[in-house]
C-alpha cells in the first residue's frame, strides 16, 4: 500500500503559504520527511492525518481517498504528534484501552490483550498504572508509539519525535521505531538529519512548502562523492570564506570553525576532500541564498 500526495497546497488565513504544490509517493517502510522549522512538515502531516484541509490537491492511501473518506483513513492511521502531553492525568493502560475502543476493538478481553502487548512492546509495563504527567520525555514518546500502533495501522505518522529527548532516550526511541512492521507506511517528520540517516530508506526534503528532493539517502550521498571539501578556518576569516566559497555548513570543532564546501574541484588552498554525509545532501539541496544567510548568521554569532 502506498501513500500518494498530489499537488497539495495550503495557505493559512494570514497569508502564510505553508504548502506549495506538494507531490510525493511514499512506499511501505520508513520514510523521512526532512526540513527546517517552518518548512511545512507539520502542516503536511496534519493534512495527511485528516486534522486539517488543504486548499487544493488530493491524497490517497491505497484505495482510500483521504479527503473524501476521512473516517476510513482514521481507522488505518496511527499518529504520534509532537506533544503527547495533553493526557497528563491519565495512565497508559486507561488510555490504551480507550484508544482501542475508538479503533473499534469492541471486546474487553481483546482490549486487555492489546494493552498488555503494546505496553510490553514499548517497555512500559512497570509504569502502566502511573500518570503520564510524571513521565520523562522518552517515556512519553514510547507511550506515543504504543498509541500509534493501536489497531495495527497501515499508515503511521511520527511528527518531530526526538526533539527534547536526551541521547540515550533518543537511541532507545529510534530502535523501537525501526522495529515497526515493514508493511506499513511510516513517515518520520523531522528537522534532525541523523534521525533520517539512521532509520529511513527513502526520504524527501521540504523547504518553504516545496519538495526540493525525493529519493534514497544513500544514492543522494553517493552522488556527492568527490565534491565535499572541508577546511578549518579562523573566526576572523569565516565571513570572508562565506563570500568566496559556496559554503554548505559550518561547525565548531574544539571551538574552531570548520567549513564544508561543495565543489567539483578543490575549491582553494588547505581544503581537504571528505566523505559526503546526509547533512551535505540536505544543505546542498537548499537554495543558494539560504547558504549565504546561514553562513552570515554563523559568522555574526561567533563574532
Ligand atoms: P514545520 O512543521 O516544518 O515547522 P509548519 O507546517 O508548522 O512547519 O509551518 C509551516 C509555515 O506555516 C510556518 O511559516 C508556520 O509559521 C506557518 N503556520 C503553521 N501553522 C499555522 C497557522 N495555524 N496559522 C498561520 N500560520 C501557520
Amino acid at each position: 500500500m502506498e501513500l500518494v500526495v498530489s499537488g497539495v497546497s495550503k495557505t493559512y488565513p494570514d497569508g502564510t503559504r505553508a504548502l506549495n504544490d506538494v507531490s510525493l509517493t511514499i512506499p511501505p517502510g520508513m520514510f523521512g520527511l526532512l526540513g527546517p522549522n517552518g518548512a511545512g512538515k507539520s502542516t503536511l502531516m496534519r493534512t495527511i492525518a485528516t486534522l486539517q484541509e488543504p486548499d487544493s490537491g488530493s491524497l490517497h492511501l491505497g484505495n482510500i481517498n483521504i479527503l473524501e473518506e476521512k473516517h476510513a483513513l482514521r481507522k488505518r492511521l496511527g499518529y504520534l504528534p509532537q506533544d503527547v502531553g495533553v493526557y497528563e492525568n491519565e495512565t497508559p493502560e486507561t488510555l490504551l484501552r480507550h484508544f482501542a475502543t475508538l479503533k473499534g476493538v469492541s471486546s474487553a478481553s481483546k482490549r486487555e490483550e492489546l494493552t498488555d502487548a503494546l505496553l510490553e512492546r514499548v517497555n512500559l509495563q512497570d509504569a502502566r498504572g502511573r500518570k503520564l504527567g510524571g513521565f520523562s520525555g522518552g517515556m512519553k514518546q514510547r507511550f506515543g508509539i504504543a498509541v500509534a500502533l493501536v489497531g495495527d495501522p497501515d499508515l503511521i505518522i511520527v511528527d518531530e519525535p526526538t526533539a527534547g529527548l536526551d541521547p540515550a532516550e533518543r537511541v532507545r526511541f529510534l530502535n523501537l521505531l525501526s522495529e515497526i512492521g515493514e508493511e506499513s507506511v511510516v513517515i518520520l517528520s523531522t528537522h534532525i538529519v541523523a534521525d533520517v540517516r539512521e532509520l529511513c530508506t527513502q526520504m524527501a526534503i521540504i523547504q518553504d512548502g516545496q519538495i526540493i528532493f525525493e529519493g534514497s539517502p544513500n544514492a543522494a550521498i553517493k552522488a556527492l562523492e568527490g565534491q565535499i571539501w572541508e577546511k578549518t578556518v579562523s573566526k576572523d576569516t569565516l565571513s570572508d570564506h562565506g563570500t568566496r566559497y559556496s559554503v554548505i555548513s559550518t561547525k565548531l570543532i574544539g571551538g574552531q570553525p570548520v567549513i564544508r564546501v561543495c565543489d567539483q574541484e578543490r575549491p582553494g588552498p588547505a581544503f581537504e576532500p571528505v566523505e559526503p554525509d546526509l547533512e551535505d545532501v540536505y544543505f546542498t539541496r537548499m537554495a543558494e541564498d539560504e547558504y549565504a544567510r546561514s553562513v552570515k548568521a554563523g559568522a555574526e554569532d561567533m563574532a
Side-chain angles (χ1 to χ4, degrees):
M1 197 177 280
E2 278 183 347
L3 174 71
V4 181
V5 176
S6 309
V8 167
S9 294
K10 172 73 184 178
T11 301
Y12 285 107
D14 68 356
T16 306
R17 187 158 206 195
L19 296 175
N20 185 357
D21 196 16
V22 168
S23 294
L24 280 174
T25 298
I26 305 186
M30 191 73 76
F31 185 94
L33 180 71
L34 186 61
N37 288 331
K41 301 182 296 298
S42 290
T43 302
L44 182 58
M45 294 305 102
R46 290 197 304 261
T47 306
I48 296 170
T50 75
L51 297 173
Q52 68 180 69
E53 295 274 338
D55 299 329
S56 55
S58 66
L59 304 104
H60 289 83
L61 176 69
N63 294 329
I64 301 174
N65 181 335
I66 296 181
L67 297 178
E68 288 174 7
E69 302 168 84
K70 294 194 174 67
H71 205 70
L73 187 277
R74 285 175 196 156
K75 277 194 152 167
R76 305 311 321 139
L77 171 73
Y79 181 59
L80 172 55
Q82 275 177 24
D83 186 8
V84 288
V86 281
Y87 306 108
E88 303 272 296
N89 282 322
E90 303 291 342
T91 68
E93 55 184 2
T94 322
L95 282 171
L96 285 173
R97 282 187 208 122
H98 170 67
F99 289 119
T101 310
L102 290 183
K103 288 269 166 162
V105 184
S106 51
S107 132
S109 63
K110 285 259 157 52
R111 282 200 296 272
E112 225 37 50
E113 245 172 61
L114 180 67
T115 300
D116 288 347
L118 287 171
L119 286 170
E120 190 182 329
R121 184 143 180 205
V122 300
N123 200 15
L124 285 175
Q125 307 96 310
D126 295 346
R128 58 184 299 147
R130 278 167 48 196
K131 285 187 180 170
L132 250 70
F135 279 22
S136 70
M139 287 167 82
K140 279 186 186 160
Q141 288 296 56
R142 277 187 280 142
F143 173 66
I145 291 197
V147 172
L149 290 177
V150 172
D152 209 6
D154 296 315
L155 171 63
I156 298 172
I157 293 176
V158 189
D159 199 359
E160 295 277 2
T162 62
L165 297 189
D166 70 37
E169 280 177 336
R170 177 177 167 274
V171 169
R172 229 177 291 141
F173 179 78
L174 293 183
N175 281 337
L176 193 58
L177 265 191
S178 71
E179 288 167 10
I180 291 178
E182 286 176 357
E183 314 86 64
S184 323
V185 173
V186 185
I187 309 175
L188 172 66
S189 157
T190 181
H191 66 275
I192 300 173
V193 179
D195 288 354
V196 174
R197 179 79 189 111
E198 286 166 37
L199 285 176
C200 302
T201 45
Q202 292 292 316
M203 66 176 286
I205 300 176
I206 184 169
Q207 197 194 14
D208 289 337
Q210 287 180 296
I211 302 297
I212 58 168
F213 171 78
E214 187 179 0
S216 113
N218 285 343
I221 292 170
K222 213 162 181 306
L224 282 181
E225 261 172 25
Q227 296 179 45
I228 304 297
W229 306 85
E230 207 173 76
K231 182 178 178 181
T232 303
V233 301
S234 67
K235 286 178 187 167
D236 309 341
T237 62
L238 182 61
S239 158
D240 182 40
H241 279 85
T243 40
R244 279 175 55 196
Y245 303 105
S246 49
V247 174
I248 54 171
S249 64
T250 306
K251 272 189 195 139
L252 278 179
I253 297 182
Q256 196 76 9
V258 176
I259 57 170
R260 278 165 97 101
V261 167
C262 180
D263 208 319
Q264 301 283 345
E265 287 167 19
R266 190 185 297 271
F271 278 94
E272 295 297 331
V274 287
E275 284 295 314
D277 59 29
L278 195 59
E279 274 203 0
D280 298 322
V281 172
Y282 182 52
F283 289 121
T284 51
R285 298 279 171 167
M286 301 284 193
E288 204 72 44
D289 68 315
E290 175 85 8
Y291 312 152
R293 260 183 288 143
S294 62
V295 170
K296 192 162 165 271
E300 282 167 4
D301 281 348
M302 287 172 198

